[in-house]
Amino acid sequence: MLSDDAKPIPIYDRALTGVITGIEVNKEVETSYGKAIKTDLHILADKPYIIRSGSESYFSKSLLLALDVITWEQLRHPLTIAVSPGEKTIVFCTIYNPVTYRSVDISWDGHKEIDWQGLGQKVSLKINGIHVNQVSENRDVFIAQTDTYLSQLNWSPEQGREFLLQKYGKKSRQQLSDSELVEFTSFLRSQLSQP
């Protein structure tokens, strides 16, 4: 999660339930130890959250395997992302249906031969592409998400309108097409992750 000044705030809960709104795979970020490659999963729960993990971690790999198995229909509803302990210092990601408490079954068979880069791209296209199709049904969710992002960025309503007018030639988010609303939401999210 990001604070008002875009600094990460750790979440100490073992699970988070919300709608997955995007994923960034193999994202290069600056850490206190230097540059690192991370996977960022964007979730809208009571507010927008980012679950960040190392791209080479078992958590990220199990996340990708689960997201690959999940159907488009399942992605339209809230899911629970949970941390599951492995041996010693290893943790895995388990995704649950919060209504039925059933976890998404994944297989680690042949995981050493998996093209993780290719799987990441496939999942990224699936997750990030799905929202253009969902926006018509969930415009209010996306607009609420942009409200939160605009507030975190300290943008005034005038700044928001000016940006929309310059970028899209439209005065309000309500006038944006579905794909424009997704693009605007992604732009605001990317601004929050800037140092």
Side-chain angles (χ1 to χ4, degrees):
M1 188 171 106
L2 295 174
S3 66
D4 291 339
D5 57 355
K7 289 197 164 100
I9 301 171
I11 303 167
Y12 294 102
D13 296 317
R14 290 180 170 226
L16 179 65
T17 300
V19 176
I20 295 173
T21 58
I23 189 167
E24 296 173 272
V25 181
N26 297 320
K27 176 181 180 182
E28 190 175 289
V29 296
E30 193 66 43
T31 70
S32 56
Y33 302 105
K35 291 190 177 178
I37 305 300
K38 302 287 186 179
T39 296
D40 284 359
L41 183 70
H42 297 263
I43 297 180
L44 182 61
D46 58 323
K47 57 185 145 232
Y49 291 89
I50 298 172
I51 298 175
R52 174 171 284 171
S53 57
S55 289
E56 291 298 315
S57 69
Y58 282 100
F59 184 90
S60 281
K61 289 178 178 180
S62 53
L63 172 69
L64 290 178
L65 287 171
L67 290 174
D68 187 42
V69 172
I70 287 175
T71 66
W72 289 62
E73 183 59 32
Q74 289 170 309
L75 284 168
R76 296 174 62 187
H77 302 285
L79 295 166
T80 300
I81 312 296
V83 175
S84 301
E87 292 180 17
K88 297 182 182 175
T89 59
I90 295 174
V91 293
F92 294 92
C93 174
T94 305
I95 299 181
Y96 293 91
N97 178 323
V99 176
T100 64
Y101 300 109
R102 286 201 169 149
S103 65
V104 175
D105 290 326
I106 61 171
S107 170
W108 281 93
D109 292 342
H111 74 278
K112 292 184 179 175
E113 289 81 40
I114 290 176
D115 172 11
W116 293 104
Q117 191 95 4
L119 181 62
Q121 289 175 341
K122 178 182 173 190
V123 167
S124 183
L125 285 171
K126 177 181 181 180
I127 301 294
N128 297 330
I130 194 171
H131 298 293
V132 175
N133 302 328
Q134 284 185 0
V135 176
S136 295
E137 302 168 22
N138 298 311
R139 284 186 74 87
D140 54 337
V141 171
F142 279 84
I143 288 179
Q145 190 173 13
T146 60
D147 283 338
T148 303
Y149 291 156
L150 289 165
S151 172
Q152 290 174 336
L153 289 166
N154 293 319
W155 279 28
S156 68
E158 294 75 30
Q159 284 175 289
R161 278 192 286 277
E162 187 177 313
F163 179 87
L164 292 176
L165 204 52
Q166 287 179 355
K167 175 84 174 163
Y168 303 106
K170 298 177 180 173
K171 294 180 182 178
S172 77
R173 291 170 290 172
Q174 300 293 346
Q175 295 174 334
L176 296 176
S177 69
D178 291 350
S179 59
E180 288 169 341
L181 184 55
V182 170
E183 183 182 340
F184 181 55
T185 306
S186 297
F187 167 76
L188 294 175
R189 184 172 60 217
S190 72
Q191 294 304 296
L192 282 171
S193 58
Q194 298 294 323

